[in-house]
Amino acid sequence: MSTATSTQQAPAHGHGVEHHHEPGFWQKYVFSTDHKIIGIQYGLSALVFLMFGFLLMMCMRFQLAYPGQKIPVFGSLLEAMLGDAAKGGAMSADLYNSFGAMHGTIMVFLAIVPLAFGAFGNYVTPLQIGAPDMAFPRLNMASYHAYFLGGALMVASFFVPGGSAKSGWTSYSPLATVAEFGKPFNGQTLWLIGMVMLITSSLLGAVNFITTIIQLRAKGMTWMRLPFFVWAQFVTGFLLLLAFPPLEAAGVLQLMDNLFHTSFFLPTGLVVGGDQLPVAGGGSPLLWQHLFWFLGHPEVYVLILPAMGIVSEVIANNTRKPLWGYKSMVYAVMSIGFLSFIVWAHHMYLTGMGTKVSTFFQTTTMMISIPSVMILTALFISLWGGSIRFNTPMLFALSFLPMFGIGGLTGLPLGFNASDIYLHDSYYVIGHFHYVVAPGTIFGLMAGIYFWFPKMTGRYMNETLGKIHFWFSLLGMNLVFAPMFIQGLKGMSRRMADGGTTYFGADDIAIKLNTSITHAAVLLGLAQLPFIVNLFLSIRNGRKVESDNPWQATTLDWATPTPPPHGNFATEPIVYRGPYEYSSPGAARDFTPQGQKV
Amino acid sequence: MEIPYTYKARPDTGLYNAKVGIWLFLASEIMLFGALFSSYILLRVQAPDGVWPEMRLGWPHGLLNIPIGTFNTVVLISSSVTVVMAWASLKMGKIAAFRRYMILTLMCAFGFLGVKSYEYNEKFTHYELRLKNGEVHTGHLEVNGKHPGFWSFADIWNLDRLTKEKVAEVQFTADPPKPKAGEAHAAEAGHEHVAKAIKRDEISRLEAFIPRNHNFFAIYFTITALHGLHVFVGALVMAYFAFPGSRMWRTNPEQFTNRIEVVGLFWHFVDLVWIFLFPVVYLL
């Protein structure tokens, strides 16, 4: 708990701390309406799914490096649980497809988004705007429960006959419909129902976040005094609100195709296994892709914007300088939000939708890189001349910049349709988006965990373990994803269950890289152990914080007691200044909190 | 702990929380139905040529009951008026009038759903029959001396089922030709409106007017069912506020009035979807 300068002993005022009887376990941890508990629920569930998704990928990586061999450690377990699909502890092609689809789904919808939006958004946003809770606490709880249910359905889908969905996380029709045609209860059906749950969850979350930010800002918290993290969450909320419903529509249509044998996405004369499919036909496979990517592309920004927000907070705090170009960053994030709705078809250059359409989407795609680069540049310039504190959160935040930079720049050749023809569906694409999401977003989220942990628990996480975690993760990430660019440029296709040995053969450098990537992935996995140990041990044994504001930060989240009680603030916060008044000339200290008068 | 602005408007935005929330929710709903309408347009403009008794621009036409659809449109628009009257009554402090208008709204809502289910059933028992000689008919089916029953999903026939249950012959009553329909094959079907025996071996395709028959029915059933679900959920919420939920009127009339305003906004949206749906699916 807090010490000398703690504000926890001042619960007398009307606004804030609750005095009611202590609620029971279920009330407190499962059916809680407190945004902080819900944030932690989201965070822990998402971390579990992150590990689960990672382990799926480890099995796949082993298969790529050593096709058809028994998977060490997990092989026998897989055989015991999944039966023939993992015969002899080795991975069948079907199982590879199923793990591939679920790795993508779990990482995007069950791990990163819930961690970035559900966990950090829930915990930090109300604190930073000076609100006692979210605008709709019960909706907030329902949002987590819908997410949990969706996640449970996704996990359960591994055990239905035929296994989980195996048509990629993009679930392209007609493959997704014909893969298990005529069997209504299959992994794909559960995937679709699970997605509807997850979409409901993020819809409730998005409505709640946007309303909270519009309505519950503290006195004096004008729009341009909002921390950049809040702006990022605000735009993310709009992306989730408006981009997910078309996927819900697509999901409903695909469910109709799978269960009632309509032909929304099935063209006329579709022949499967030598027989014409007994459906009316007349549908459009492209329609699915348009609806999917209408979500899919804004979703990319849902993944990256919260991480940018976290990184901005950490960088401003640890350079002891105001963010350079705060206003331009705000306008940039709004432009990203708008533009992200009109770039979706750059995922579809090779579908034959026509050169005119491709040219339009190529243009908008190049346009959206401008605001992204603006934010990145502003963050880089923010470092200029700062006396930087290199603690663990700062290391993660700093490495976010070049890693996201690599991810972004390697995306440009994919955005031009001439070069995309060559690179499409190759390992280059995998390298590109993993650079954005893994060492990009996940590093940003890690920075956030190390940064806000002292506020959540009143204790620091261990710095030594943190630095081990950071350096080995950085090394592992790059050893895993950088060689994929080479593989892709050498023409290696993604989604091949045996790592390309049977199709490829011509270039053994690309094939040999499979092995080195797998070894690097093991290193990356081992590098997470210090983090897991650190996370749990520091809750009880970490070094205690000296005050409610251990990082000497300016934003309102550090003006609460530690950990913040139900209702957050001991006295109603009033905001007098912008979010990043660090090292103001003439100020007594090198930081001036937003709530400090004059 | 009190959440601020749960029912009092925030001075600078002029809105209470739930009103912001419902507008955001409706924005998302617009994207949901927008995606479905866009799908409808795309499916329709790129539909391959088919053989239907009546087509307009390559898409089946004239298969829905326009007078009944018009009636339902009027019912739903009326309910939008009554829900505003209910809210206005609360603003004037008249709880009894509020409840009367809510009952009217609920009657409209369930009336709409009742008519809709009649329409659905009409479709489920209506068949498209293609013969091997190229003739295409629509009409009603009689198998083993029985018409497929009311609201019986299991009793929908197709060629596979006829083969599986070894039905050699069905009785088929073709629809009378529409007065304006100029197509030749509609006239060939015969005006007599009597059941005609058709051998299974003559049939090349038999399908009820159900989603799998044609994308026209697929999108019609999907959008109207989703819309119907919205009507149903909206009606349940309004029923709650009309009866048990109106307790709040005594403790916090302002918040209760706001709740009716919010549910009213949702109800207008549901109405608005239908106002687009009716011309797009029935008339065009």
Side-chain angles (χ1 to χ4, degrees), chain A residues 61 63-65 67 96 427 487 491-508 510-512 514:
Chain A
R61 272 303 346 158
Q63 162 76 4
L64 291 174
Y96 182 87
Y427 264 81
Q487 287 186 318
M492 189 153 153
S493 286
R494 59 194 287 202
R495 300 204 176 100
M496 291 189 300
D498 57 359
T501 40
T502 48
Y503 309 87
F504 205 67
D507 191 315
D508 35 296
I511 298 276
K512 277 185 188 138
N514 273 339

Side-chain angles (χ1 to χ4, degrees), chain B residues 1 9 37-38 41 44 55-56 71 76 82-83 102 105 109 126-127 167-168 178 183 210 224 231 238 249 269-270:
Chain B
M1 180 196 64
F37 277 105
S38 314
I41 293 167
R44 181 167 178 168
M55 303 276 282
R56 187 179 284 181
F71 173 74
L76 215 51
T82 53
V83 81
M102 283 306 259
T105 313
H126 206 159
Y127 282 80
V167 180
K178 295 234 169 92
E183 278 92 356
I210 53 174
T224 53
V231 173
M238 288 193 298
W249 176 252
F269 170 78
V270 172

Side-chain angles (χ1 to χ4, degrees), chain A residues 18 134 203 215 217 263 280, chain B residues 1 3 10 13 15 17 28:
Chain A
E18 196 92 316
M134 297 289 264
L203 167 68
Q215 291 285 95
R217 281 168 290 127
S263 316
Chain B
M1 180 196 64
I3 309 271
R10 182 183 161 111
T13 62
L15 300 163
N17 294 345
S28 134

Side-chain angles (χ1 to χ4, degrees), chain B:
Chain B
M1 180 196 64
E2 282 279 305
I3 309 271
Y5 313 120
T6 39
Y7 60 94
K8 290 255 187 265
R10 182 183 161 111
D12 57 352
T13 62
L15 300 163
Y16 52 88
N17 294 345
K19 203 161 175 176
V20 180
I22 194 73
W23 276 111
L24 291 169
F25 176 69
L26 293 183
S28 134
E29 290 276 81
I30 286 172
M31 293 304 287
L32 176 67
F33 281 98
L36 289 169
F37 277 105
S38 314
S39 305
Y40 169 84
I41 293 167
L42 193 130
L43 288 171
R44 181 167 178 168
V45 295
Q46 58 109 66
D49 282 343
V51 196
W52 274 90
E54 211 181 332
M55 303 276 282
R56 187 179 284 181
L57 301 172
W59 191 252
H61 180 72
L63 297 168
L64 300 177
N65 194 331
I66 294 174
I68 279 189
T70 314
F71 173 74
N72 248 356
T73 310
V74 174
V75 167
L76 215 51
I77 292 179
S78 316
S79 75
S80 251
V81 175
T82 53
V83 81
V84 173
M85 298 303 287
W87 174 67
S89 309
L90 282 185
K91 279 276 180 195
M92 293 182 286
K94 297 177 188 162
I95 184 78
F98 155 77
R99 195 161 287 137
R100 270 199 303 279
Y101 281 119
M102 283 306 259
I103 291 170
L104 275 178
T105 313
L106 286 170
M107 279 164 61
C108 286
F110 287 108
F112 176 89
L113 289 174
V115 170
K116 201 80 217 144
S117 62
Y118 165 77
E119 267 189 284
Y120 269 29
N121 183 61
E122 215 183 22
K123 295 287 161 286
F124 291 151
T125 53
H126 206 159
Y127 282 80
E128 182 217 7
L129 174 74
R130 294 186 193 184
L131 299 179
K132 285 182 179 157
N133 62 13
E135 284 180 21
V136 183
H137 302 289
T138 57
H140 291 87
L141 195 68
E142 205 178 313
V143 185
N144 301 333
K146 275 189 292 190
H147 286 286
F150 186 78
W151 270 115
S152 175
F153 295 109
D155 209 15
I156 291 173
W157 291 87
N158 55 36
L159 194 54
D160 278 351
R161 189 173 165 205
L162 289 182
T163 318
K164 209 184 282 168
E165 301 192 9
K166 300 197 175 69
V167 180
E169 195 179 77
V170 294
Q171 299 289 319
F172 189 78
T173 314
D175 293 334
K178 295 234 169 92
K180 274 196 294 178
E183 278 92 356
H185 53 247
E188 283 166 25
H191 309 258
E192 58 270 37
H193 204 339
V194 290
K196 212 168 114 184
I198 307 231
K199 293 220 160 31
R200 190 184 74 209
D201 298 339
E202 297 172 49
I203 302 173
S204 70
R205 185 172 191 259
L206 177 72
E207 205 75 80
F209 285 7
I210 53 174
R212 58 175 290 170
N213 186 338
H214 190 280
N215 269 344
F216 166 73
F217 289 115
I219 198 87
Y220 162 76
F221 279 112
T222 308
I223 305 190
T224 53
L226 199 63
H227 175 259
L229 191 68
H230 279 76
V231 173
F232 183 67
V233 172
L236 282 189
V237 172
M238 288 193 298
Y240 172 77
F241 285 138
F243 301 105
S246 62
R247 279 191 309 263
M248 191 187 234
W249 176 252
R250 274 169 299 186
T251 54
N252 193 341
E254 195 179 351
Q255 186 168 9
F256 184 67
T257 312
N258 286 345
R259 287 187 163 187
I260 300 305
E261 186 182 13
V262 166
V263 76
L265 282 170
F266 175 77
W267 195 249
H268 294 320
F269 170 78
V270 172
D271 190 13
L272 190 69
V273 170
W274 180 258
I275 287 172
F276 278 92
L277 200 51
F278 174 64
V280 165
V281 183
Y282 284 70
L283 304 180
L284 284 179

Side-chain angles (χ1 to χ4, degrees), chain A residues 162-185:
Chain A
S164 69
K166 40 178 146 334
S167 309
W169 81 283
T170 54
S171 192
Y172 273 10
S173 270
L175 182 62
T177 300
V178 301
E180 304 264 345
F181 196 77
K183 283 180 252 163
F185 185 69

Side-chain angles (χ1 to χ4, degrees), chain A residues 169-462:
Chain A
W169 81 283
T170 54
S171 192
Y172 273 10
S173 270
L175 182 62
T177 300
V178 301
E180 304 264 345
F181 196 77
K183 283 180 252 163
F185 185 69
N186 59 37
Q188 187 65 30
T189 308
L190 283 185
W191 187 89
L192 289 166
I193 298 173
M195 282 310 291
V196 170
M197 294 279 173
L198 296 177
I199 293 168
T200 309
S201 156
S202 47
L203 167 68
L204 296 177
V207 168
N208 213 343
F209 274 66
I210 300 171
T211 310
T212 305
I213 295 171
I214 293 177
Q215 291 285 95
L216 301 192
R217 281 168 290 127
K219 214 176 195 175
M221 181 62 93
T222 57
W223 287 98
M224 280 300 164
R225 284 179 181 171
L226 286 177
F228 186 69
F229 175 83
V230 176
W231 271 109
Q233 293 287 341
F234 188 62
V235 174
T236 308
F238 272 102
L239 297 184
L240 287 173
L241 184 77
L242 302 177
F244 253 130
L247 182 68
E248 184 154 26
V252 169
L253 298 185
Q254 198 175 69
L255 262 183
M256 292 287 288
D257 273 5
N258 292 0
L259 298 181
F260 299 105
H261 300 168
T262 56
S263 316
F264 289 117
F265 307 125
L266 305 176
T268 306
L270 197 63
V271 175
V272 179
D275 296 318
Q276 189 168 348
L277 209 65
V279 294
S284 164
L286 264 189
L287 176 59
W288 168 267
Q289 298 190 21
H290 278 296
L291 292 173
F292 182 87
W293 287 115
F294 190 85
L295 156 90
H297 206 84
E299 180 75 12
V300 174
Y301 291 92
V302 171
L303 298 174
I304 199 71
L305 292 182
M308 281 179 171
I310 293 169
V311 166
S312 310
E313 298 301 306
V314 174
I315 283 184
N317 178 255
N318 286 306
T319 53
R320 316 305 293 163
K321 277 179 64 201
L323 278 184
W324 189 88
Y326 164 80
K327 271 195 181 178
S328 359
M329 286 173 74
V330 169
Y331 293 128
V333 80
M334 284 196 260
S335 321
I336 289 182
F338 172 73
L339 286 171
S340 72
F341 281 100
I342 49 170
V343 297
W344 79 90
H346 66 213
H347 296 269
M348 299 163 57
Y349 287 148
L350 265 72
T351 56
M353 57 182 181
T355 48
K356 289 200 178 70
V357 181
S358 295
T359 311
F360 172 81
F361 283 102
Q362 168 179 291
T363 313
T364 53
T365 304
M366 292 307 123
M367 277 161 67
I368 201 171
S369 60
I370 297 169
S372 311
V373 170
M374 275 168 71
I375 293 181
L376 206 59
T377 311
L379 289 175
F380 268 119
I381 299 178
S382 299
L383 302 175
W384 183 266
S387 56
I388 300 174
R389 303 191 301 207
F390 287 100
N391 46 30
T392 314
M394 187 57 173
L395 288 175
F396 273 107
L398 281 177
S399 67
F400 169 89
L401 303 177
M403 293 297 113
F404 175 69
I406 294 174
L409 290 174
T410 53
L412 293 180
L414 296 171
F416 287 114
N417 49 57
S419 42
D420 182 58
I421 290 172
Y422 180 70
L423 295 170
H424 189 88
D425 251 350
S426 73
Y427 264 81
Y428 183 92
V429 180
I430 299 198
H432 153 67
F433 68 72
H434 279 92
Y435 256 104
V436 175
V437 180
T441 300
I442 292 182
F443 275 15
L445 299 175
M446 285 298 172
I449 293 176
Y450 284 97
F451 187 63
W452 276 295
F453 191 85
K455 179 47 71 183
M456 295 181 191
T457 61
R459 288 168 192 273
Y460 291 101
M461 284 175 82
N462 185 296

Side-chain angles (χ1 to χ4, degrees), chain A residues 463-484:
Chain A
E463 275 291 305
T464 316
L465 286 175
K467 280 179 178 150
I468 295 174
H469 174 212
F470 167 72
W471 286 109
F472 282 98
S473 296
L474 184 68
L475 188 69
M477 289 282 189
N478 283 289
L479 288 177
V480 169
F481 297 118
M484 290 188 184

